[in-house]
Amino acid sequence: MSGEETSKKSMTDEFLERLQQHRRYLYHIAYRLTGNTEDAKDLMQETIWQAHRKSNRYVYEKSLKAWLRTMMTNRFRDQKRKKSLKLVALEDAFIQSEPPHSTDMLSVEEQVEQRLMLEQVKEEIQDLPDIYRRVVVLRHFHGYSYTEISEALEIPEGTVKTQLFRARKMLKERLSKK
């Protein structure tokens, strides 16, 4: 090994040691995020591994703890989003959503009418082609931004906007016929 390679290797080893010193701190954050021991350990390990791989991006003037915490929370959010996309059936999102909160001001008849309208909208969304239904659910039921939808579905942001436009147009046409 050349002197430069030895120097790089010792720097990354030193950085890994610094990361390992923060294991306990990271575990506590991970446990608060995940709520269980096994997932917390996994998240802590993944964060340390990711930080080690990205050691060249760390700016030494900044707090290592803050950098690691940010990395961990971002990783947790990404994992949570990916899991929710894979595991949560679209129908569950419709069932769990509630009508507008101002129902206490409405009469019983108006509340029933509002509930029926919401159910009709949900049915129409479920009948949309898959490419349109996914973007509608992520945007309007999960509150994702265009960028987040683009990343989650691995499609360009312009495509997200086009699909949302077409889905809304389809829904409007279908609902106006009823």
Side-chain angles (χ1 to χ4, degrees), residues 153-171:
L153 299 178
E154 297 177 350
I155 58 176
E157 200 170 315
T159 304
V160 170
K161 292 176 183 178
T162 301
Q163 288 178 356
L164 267 172
F165 174 80
R166 290 178 182 162
R168 289 173 183 148
K169 186 177 176 184
M170 239 184 253
L171 284 171

Side-chain angles (χ1 to χ4, degrees), residues 139-153:
R139 178 75 176 161
H140 297 290
F141 288 88
H142 293 287
Y144 279 30
S145 69
Y146 294 127
T147 305
E148 291 171 326
I149 296 170
S150 170
E151 291 170 1
L153 299 178

